[in-house]
Amino acid sequence: MARTTRQTYTVGQRSLSVSNLDKVLYPATGTTKAEVMRYYLGVADVLIPQVARRPVTRKRWVDGVGTADRPGTVFFRKDLEDSAPAWIPTGRIVHAERTNTYPLADEPAVLAWFAQVAALELHTPQWRFGRNGQPRNPDRLVLDLDPGEGAGLAECAEVARLCRDLLTDMGLEAYPVTSGSKGIHLYAGLDGRHNAEAVSAVAHELARALEADHRDLVVSAMKRSLRAGKVFVDWSQNNASKTTVSPYSLRGREHPWVAAPRTWEELEDPRLRHLEFEEVLERVAGGLDPLAPLGWTPDGPGGGGGGDGDDDGGAGTGSGTAEAIDRLSKYRSMRDPDKTAEPVPAQPPAERELGEGQLPGFVIQEHHARRLHWDFRLEHSGVLVSWAVPKGPPLDTDQNRLAVMTEDHPLEYGTFEGTIAPGEYGAGEVTIWDSGTWELEKWREGKEVIGVLHGRPDGGLGGVPRRYALINAPGMGGERNWLIHLMKDQPDTGQAAPGVPAQDATTTERKKAAGKKATEKNATGETSGTKPAGKKRARTGPAASFGPEDLPAPMLATVGRPADLTADEDWSFEMKWDGWRVIAGVSQDRVVLASRNGQDLTDRYPALQELTGLLRGEAADRGGAVLDGELVALDDRGRPDFGLLQDGTGELRLIVFDILQLGPPGTSQHRRHSLLRTAHGERRAILEASLAEGEVVSVPPAYHGSLAQAQRISRAMGLEGVVAKRTGSVYLPGRRGSAWIKLKLQQHQEIVVIGVREGRGERSGGVGSLLAAIPDESGTLRYAGRVGTGFSADQLAEVEQRLRPLARDTPPVDDVPAEDRADAWWVTPSEVAEVSLAGRTRAGRLRQASWRGWRPDKSVDEVRWEVP
């Protein structure tokens, strides 16, 4: 009998026992268990967002997949194996006659364990467990395009494009995945408002509609005898009890193919084929994750939004219930209750019932572990959500400090003080620095927390309420990294905030000093030697008189590719925000805003007058600054939405990413210091030192890692791409150059509207679609195609109202094809708009364009093709 070789590895914070890593699981390619494990760990960052909080059904080939003539034995597994590590989280589904306990693959170590037991294929439903452990409504729709005999990937790609058109008309964006077996899976994200039965019915109707229009290519019936030469559009996997192989899962085929997310451009390739695992690893390492918008985020699909999951299909039979996810499982896995003095409750946490007027608690503990830090803990959802703050909570509104999110702690930890034994996790002395209650103002799971802390009279916070914001900042080195900020707007207590001495003193010394400082007030009522929380810096000098004409035109970025980033130069990366470019001139008492083409936006956005109170350092001393940024509107998930900006709805933000001058515009030379010839890297440092965060103003971080890392962050944030900036470059007002390069993840294109086609059906009597043109390199307008989707009813009415006064008798361009001229009326080519699209056709036209909105900040002569 062969001897089993067993080794122990650490994956994250887990210890995993593995054996027989050299065992061949794919004989045709010699792929071993070690390579399968390497693959699953290599794609963990993109796979986990797709499977997180979904029950995972596994297909295991314990002796390998075999060969074409001698296939290996496969085991289909729902329940978690008895031999599984205790730290693997689970979700339970109770059926009429049985209960299934499924593993949840929410961390890389679980994927590594799947590889250890040769679970090659991972299958999940279209729904996730909610925070309470109950199945939620589906957060995605899936269509499985299965080619019959005589059909292949090319036919599946053709049907995928037809499906995409229908889904687009429904307001859904589709994402293709080559299945790694035969066909293509098509996914579309849902908002969670509809149950599985309703989603399945819509998918079935969509399949029938396709079959009715394309009987020579599409079949929607289950009978295999009808599929020859056609593509079966399998809609049934939207049933709550059905599962689909997960994106990025391996397949148990002869070769280690993968269910690989693809771009729509790839589906145009006549040589389209399935991808093997090494190819997928290279794509992921290069930052390519086409399915990222459908990945799980704490406040996204399945993470708190959407339906309640108590519909008929929630758990397969209509009688399903699920076991609540234990938020203390990680905490327990890191502690031995027999060795640590810390509280280690055996039961899952239960949310505390608060009486009328009662507030949740907080505690800040000074922790002398291997490195001194402060543990900042807020009661929420039955646990203490926790961050480690290396330098302590800031007590000055000009400071931002790093806060690293740690595992949730039990509520009992709120009173813990003592010694954690040597050798145990977090060994060292713990004392309570401050504790009390807190008022929740905002909690965006995994993104942002704002609240007011009410500590003890002798506590480290100085005995007055303190309003803090915690902002997730993955660009600072990881998803667990946050910023903690004492907000300028502090509660009105009728007194200044007492000063608190340096954070490296002992608790006792600081408390004594805090008490002493609280009594040492000067004649103005301020604490000696400190700046009261929320008090603005005093400024001197008369306010300057200036307008939009005094502001420079913004520097522009060039559309490029990763190969355009020269390796011998230093680059930094910023997110590409989906909004309007704005130059802001700021003095001590007024703000003037100018759009990219010089329009005055000052009166339109009065909230941005808060810039007058955010300047600090030399900008405050000189009484002003000139700033460059992007105006965006955030949706209810905290993501920029161009449509909301156009409508004047959504949560307004000014994202400031550059500073062009210290001192207000329009003032004497001695008060101004131009930064146009200062290197970009130095300007960024000056910006961060010159502008504090506000209610509507933000200074996002610049990223100095790899392009792939920056692109992963952009995808995770749902943004349209990355702007790479050469750190040694100067600022060139109104010019476009190679020092700033736009690398888009989503394809957007500016167009010039030249005509309107009359509507039919529901749009009869109104606008059906718009005809577009784009100037060529010489500036001559050329026909570019149509855009007929993406409009709301209100937008269609506004479009017609806007364009009717511009009507003319003849087309402004001479290359509009006859089929598009037939029912069109023409307009003067003066209005610029923006569309999203799937690319550019061979004829140089818009492919599957969808309306995004008007661009009043752009002129016709600025428009050029940006999509290759």
Side-chain angles (χ1 to χ4, degrees):
M1 181 180 292
R3 183 174 174 221
T4 299
T5 58
R6 187 166 290 277
Q7 299 167 280
T8 299
Y9 288 89
T10 299
V11 181
Q13 295 178 331
R14 309 297 189 189
S15 292
L16 182 67
S17 178
V18 301
S19 61
N20 300 330
L21 289 178
D22 57 351
K23 184 175 185 178
V24 174
L25 296 180
Y26 291 89
T29 58
T31 303
T32 65
K33 181 191 288 187
E35 290 175 296
V36 169
M37 192 172 293
R38 175 172 64 88
Y39 168 75
Y40 273 125
L41 290 176
V43 299
D45 285 348
V46 294
L47 191 158
I48 288 175
Q50 302 302 329
V51 300
R53 297 196 175 185
R54 301 188 197 274
V56 182
T57 299
R58 288 87 61 218
K59 292 177 76 172
R60 296 175 54 191
W61 282 264
V62 293
D63 295 317
V65 299
T67 59
D69 56 339
R70 296 190 65 182
T73 302
V74 59
F75 298 90
F76 192 76
R77 185 81 186 188
K78 292 184 178 181
D79 287 292
L80 182 64
E81 288 80 350
D82 293 338
S83 60
W87 45 259
I88 294 181
T90 59
R92 291 193 345 176
I93 303 177
V94 181
H95 302 278
E97 298 178 354
R98 68 189 186 281
T99 297
N100 291 119
T101 302
Y102 293 81
L104 302 178
D106 292 359
E107 60 176 295
V110 179
L111 299 180
W113 183 78
F114 286 160
Q116 159 61 21
V117 298
L120 301 181
E121 288 192 9
L122 313 178
H123 293 247
T124 59
Q126 316 318 320
W127 55 267
R128 304 181 195 261
F129 289 115
R131 292 192 192 94
N132 62 355
Q134 298 295 327
R136 301 185 71 83
N137 285 336
D139 60 10
R140 66 187 185 192
L141 175 150
V142 64
L143 298 171
D144 179 6
L145 311 183
D146 186 8
E149 185 178 357
L153 272 184
E155 288 76 17
C156 288
E158 185 176 353
V159 174
R161 288 188 287 271
L162 297 173
C163 291
R164 185 192 191 201
D165 289 343
L166 286 179
L167 290 168
T168 298
D169 288 342
M170 295 163 59
L172 300 175
E173 187 167 0
Y175 300 86
V177 173
T178 46
S179 71
S181 178
K182 292 190 297 181
I184 291 174
H185 296 159
L186 207 59
Y187 290 91
L190 302 175
D191 59 14
R193 289 186 297 175
H194 303 287
N195 64 25
E197 183 179 3
V199 174
S200 189
V202 169
H204 194 180
E205 188 58 36
L206 188 151
R208 286 172 175 159
L210 280 171
E211 182 181 37
D213 289 343
H214 306 278
R215 293 190 179 277
D216 58 334
L217 181 61
V218 177
V219 61
S220 67
M222 295 285 181
K223 287 186 179 179
R224 292 190 175 273
S225 59
L226 302 176
R227 300 183 192 177
K230 299 180 182 181
V231 175
F232 170 46
V233 179
D234 185 357
W235 48 271
S236 68
Q237 294 185 51
N238 295 284
N239 186 299
S241 61
K242 292 288 189 73
T243 63
T244 308
V245 68
S246 170
Y248 291 108
S249 172
L250 285 165
R251 301 307 303 262
R253 311 288 289 182
E254 188 174 7
H255 285 246
W257 285 310
V258 173
R262 310 297 286 268
T263 66
W264 284 104
E265 290 79 2
E266 289 179 286
L267 262 64
E268 295 287 341
D269 190 340
R271 300 165 297 175
L272 179 69
R273 59 178 178 80
H274 295 289
L275 300 179
E276 291 195 16
F277 79 103
E278 292 286 8
E279 296 172 293
V280 175
L281 281 173
E282 289 179 10
R283 289 160 66 92
V284 171
L288 181 59
D289 180 18
L291 204 58
L294 294 191
W296 179 82
T297 55
D299 59 344
D308 293 328
D310 56 357
D311 53 90
D312 290 345
T317 66
S319 61
T321 61
E323 187 176 75
I325 295 173
D326 184 355
R327 294 190 62 161
L328 293 180
S329 60
K330 184 174 182 180
Y331 173 89
R332 277 192 219 91
S333 72
M334 300 163 70
R335 291 162 176 85
D336 185 340
D338 295 329
K339 295 180 180 179
T340 183
E342 301 165 283
V344 186
Q347 299 301 317
E351 193 156 356
R352 189 164 62 104
E353 289 190 17
L354 299 175
E356 187 175 352
Q358 192 177 4
L359 295 174
F362 84 90
V363 65
I364 303 172
Q365 287 152 320
E366 186 175 317
H367 193 166
H368 289 262
R370 186 165 56 91
R371 286 193 178 93
L372 172 64
H373 64 274
W374 282 256
D375 292 316
F376 189 97
R377 312 190 195 280
L378 303 176
E379 180 182 353
H380 187 70
S381 297
V383 295
L384 290 173
V385 182
S386 301
W387 293 262
V389 185
K391 294 185 178 180
L395 296 162
D396 190 307
T397 57
D398 287 340
Q399 291 176 331
N400 287 317
R401 287 187 172 165
L402 174 68
V404 181
M405 179 168 266
T406 62
E407 73 279 7
D408 293 335
H409 281 53
L411 295 182
E412 296 91 328
Y413 216 97
T415 57
F416 174 68
E417 288 188 292
T419 301
I420 302 174
E424 293 302 293
Y425 177 77
E429 294 292 326
V430 176
T431 55
I432 293 179
W433 187 75
D434 208 339
S435 65
T437 60
W438 78 290
E439 299 174 73
L440 171 63
E441 293 185 11
K442 180 185 288 189
W443 191 290
R444 292 171 53 218
E445 192 71 38
K447 300 289 185 183
E448 180 183 20
V449 176
I450 298 177
V452 178
L453 275 60
H454 301 269
R456 303 187 306 211
D458 62 343
L461 295 178
V464 295
R466 301 274 188 173
R467 186 166 181 253
Y468 282 102
L470 288 134
I471 309 293
N472 187 222
M476 295 179 62
E479 294 294 331
R480 296 189 305 135
N481 287 347
W482 293 56
L483 288 175
I484 183 170
H485 172 67
L486 183 68
M487 302 188 73
K488 284 195 174 293
D489 232 354
Q490 289 295 306
D492 184 8
T493 63
Q495 60 176 311
V500 177
Q503 300 274 320
D504 58 355
T506 66
T507 301
T508 303
E509 289 169 342
R510 271 201 315 280
K511 288 180 179 178
K512 288 179 180 177
K516 181 179 178 183
K517 287 262 187 178
T519 64
E520 295 177 354
K521 294 194 174 184
N522 60 25
T524 65
E526 298 179 9
T527 305
S528 300
T530 65
K531 187 177 77 171
K535 188 174 180 66
K536 297 178 182 177
R537 179 191 296 265
R539 300 184 178 92
T540 59
S545 177
F546 57 92
E549 67 279 0
D550 297 305
L551 302 177
M555 181 173 173
L556 306 176
T558 299
V559 177
R561 302 174 182 274
D564 297 327
L565 306 186
T566 48
D568 59 341
E569 293 187 278
D570 186 29
W571 297 84
S572 68
F573 304 100
E574 299 172 4
M575 298 297 102
K576 188 176 188 308
W577 302 95
D578 194 8
W580 287 343
R581 192 75 173 274
V582 169
I583 299 292
V586 186
S587 72
Q588 62 184 10
D589 60 359
R590 66 192 296 257
V591 175
V592 169
L593 306 171
S595 70
R596 172 174 158 168
N597 57 3
Q599 293 183 43
D600 189 350
L601 303 177
T602 306
D603 294 337
R604 188 168 178 178
Y605 301 105
L608 297 185
Q609 295 297 317
E610 78 162 355
L611 279 165
T612 61
L614 300 180
L615 298 181
R616 57 189 182 185
E618 188 177 354
D621 294 339
R622 290 179 178 267
V626 177
L627 306 170
D628 186 0
E630 191 92 354
L631 193 64
V632 302
L634 305 182
D635 62 16
D636 55 9
R637 296 173 62 189
R639 294 179 174 177
D641 186 314
F642 190 74
L644 295 180
L645 182 62
Q646 294 237 321
D647 297 341
T649 58
E651 193 174 342
L652 190 70
R653 285 285 189 278
L654 177 64
I655 307 297
V656 181
F657 48 71
D658 215 329
I659 184 167
L660 315 185
Q661 178 178 296
L662 292 168
T667 56
S668 60
Q669 186 64 39
H670 78 277
R671 291 190 63 199
R672 296 201 315 266
H673 173 45
S674 174
L675 299 174
L676 298 179
R677 309 305 297 175
T678 302
H680 171 73
E682 187 177 346
R683 291 202 312 275
R684 278 290 316 194
I686 294 171
L687 172 63
E688 291 167 6
S690 299
L691 190 66
E693 296 280 327
E695 294 296 317
V696 296
V697 176
S698 298
V699 181
Y703 302 89
H704 298 282
S706 68
L707 171 61
Q709 290 172 327
Q711 288 178 318
R712 277 197 289 271
I713 293 168
S714 182
R715 288 190 182 94
M717 295 174 68
L719 301 179
E720 59 175 326
V722 169
V723 180
K725 296 184 178 181
R726 208 161 48 228
T727 57
S729 63
V730 299
Y731 193 95
L732 304 174
R735 291 170 58 186
R736 193 186 301 275
S738 60
W740 290 11
I741 297 178
K742 292 186 288 189
L743 300 131
K744 292 189 174 184
L745 301 174
Q746 304 171 19
Q747 298 196 78
H748 297 160
Q749 175 64 51
E750 293 158 9
I751 61 170
V752 181
V753 178
I754 61 169
V756 179
R757 292 191 68 184
E758 296 287 354
R760 297 180 180 177
E762 291 183 356
R763 294 186 182 178
S764 180
V767 173
S769 61
L770 300 182
L771 303 181
I774 296 173
D776 61 19
E777 289 306 312
S778 68
T780 303
L781 277 177
R782 302 292 184 190
Y783 182 64
R786 302 176 308 191
V787 53
T789 62
F791 300 96
S792 67
D794 289 344
Q795 286 174 324
L796 286 171
E798 187 277 332
V799 164
E800 182 166 20
Q801 185 179 13
R802 186 184 191 117
L803 296 180
R804 280 294 181 189
L806 302 177
R808 52 181 282 170
D809 294 334
T810 58
V813 299
D814 56 11
D815 57 342
V816 182
E819 61 269 24
D820 288 350
R821 288 173 177 257
D823 56 356
W825 51 274
W826 310 102
V827 299
T828 301
S830 59
E831 298 297 301
V832 177
E834 184 171 293
V835 298
S836 60
L837 67 167
R840 196 172 171 182
T841 68
R842 291 187 180 89
R845 305 274 165 78
L846 304 167
R847 173 178 282 123
Q848 297 174 345
S850 180
W851 179 257
R852 281 173 50 79
W854 297 108
R855 293 305 306 245
D857 57 328
K858 302 289 180 75
S859 58
V860 171
D861 58 1
E862 291 182 273
V863 177
R864 291 292 186 276
W865 273 107
E866 294 194 21
V867 177

